[in-house]
């Protein structure tokens, strides 16, 4: 991936992460997509968890 595109992707990821770190916005997004707009999940139902990074390791077979 070209460096300029990689940088743009990093910026986009950061903006999305900041936006979704707001519990009110996250609850609204989940309610819209998962519960068809019904207000099931509330911002007070959410709590922050430790950030986990996952990177699968592909095993090479001989």
């Amino acid at each position: 991936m070209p460096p300029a595109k990689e940088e743009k992707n990093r910026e986009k990821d950061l903006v999305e992460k900041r936006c979704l770190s707001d519990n009110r916005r996250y609850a609204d997004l989940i309610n819209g997509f998962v519960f068809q707009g019904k207000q099931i999940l509330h911002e007070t139902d959410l709590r922050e968890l430790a950030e986990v990074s996952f990177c699968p390791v592909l095993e090479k077979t001989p």
Side-chain angles (χ1 to χ4, degrees):
M1 183 178 307
K5 186 168 184 166
E6 200 170 290
E7 180 64 29
K8 188 172 183 172
N9 284 342
R10 261 191 246 121
E11 289 176 20
K12 182 180 174 190
D13 290 346
L14 185 57
V15 169
E16 290 172 356
K17 189 174 183 177
R18 283 184 189 155
C19 181
L20 293 178
S21 68
D22 178 344
N23 286 351
R24 183 180 50 82
R25 286 185 181 140
Y26 186 80
D28 193 44
L29 179 72
I30 297 302
N31 286 328
F33 280 107
V34 176
F35 301 114
Q36 293 77 40
K38 295 177 187 168
Q39 297 302 302
I40 305 296
L41 184 64
H42 301 280
E43 65 181 298
T44 55
D45 298 330
L46 303 171
R47 62 186 171 94
E48 191 171 334
L49 298 175
E51 187 174 319
V52 176
S53 180
F54 175 75
C55 181
V57 176
L58 301 175
E59 291 183 25
K60 292 183 180 180
T61 55

